[in-house]
Every structure is written in structure tokens, then in C-alpha cells.
Amino acid sequence: MNILFICSRNQWRSRTAEDLFKNHPLHRVRSAGTAPSARIKVSEKTIQWADLILVMEKRHKQHLQEKFGNWIEEKDIRILDIPDEYGYMDPELVEILERHWEDMVELRKK
């Protein structure tokens, strides 16, 4: 399964998620951002690639709906509800992401 993590600038939250799970044996993971200043900007290509899209905030999902309307109609998009208050690899962020991974990704396989 291809999993795409999205936040605003792709510097802290989604990048942490990608680096945490990029070596998972059953899933491929990427990350992107919605802001013009994002390190890696979300694109049609990354949307098409993804089977599951995990966004950090509701506004990220709204951005995807506005910008990629038809491309995301059939996509499984989930809001993680993780505020922009963590740095890269912040231990608390890592713990939250690992909990979400187990809840959303591992259980989805069943």
C-alpha cells in the first residue's frame, strides 16, 4: 500500500512520518506539503500514487479537495488532527504518529 502524509510545509510533521515509516516492509511512504513554500509540494502525481492519504489537519484535506477535486474523490483520506506545534522527530510527535499508524494503517489491512 502507498501511504502519503501531508502537512503544510513538509518540514516537521509529514517529514517525520515519512522518515519513521519509510522502511516498513509492507508499505511505501511519501510526504508532501500544501503550502507554496513546502519542501515537497503535493501534486497530481503524488495523489495518484497514494492509496491512503493521511493529513495532519482538516485544512489540509480541504486544500486537497479544492485543488485536486476529481483526483481525490475515490481516495481514502484521513485527518490525524495533529497541530503544527512539533519539531522534526519530536518524541511526542513520534509517539502520536506511531499510535495513528497502528490505528489507521495496521488495522486497515484486516
Side-chain angles (χ1 to χ4, degrees), residues 69-82:
N70 292 340
W71 292 105
I72 64 164
E73 284 180 4
E74 302 294 317
K75 295 292 179 175
D76 186 0
I77 302 174
R78 310 224 184 141
I79 302 167
L80 300 181
D81 221 7
I82 301 174

Side-chain angles (χ1 to χ4, degrees), residues 47-76:
I47 295 292
Q48 288 177 320
W49 172 86
D51 299 310
L52 174 63
I53 300 172
L54 300 175
V55 299
M56 299 298 156
E57 300 175 52
K58 183 179 180 180
R59 67 187 171 111
H60 300 127
K61 182 176 180 177
Q62 291 168 332
H63 175 86
L64 296 179
Q65 290 168 326
E66 291 167 10
K67 187 163 182 172
F68 301 104
N70 292 340
W71 292 105
I72 64 164
E73 284 180 4
E74 302 294 317
K75 295 292 179 175
D76 186 0

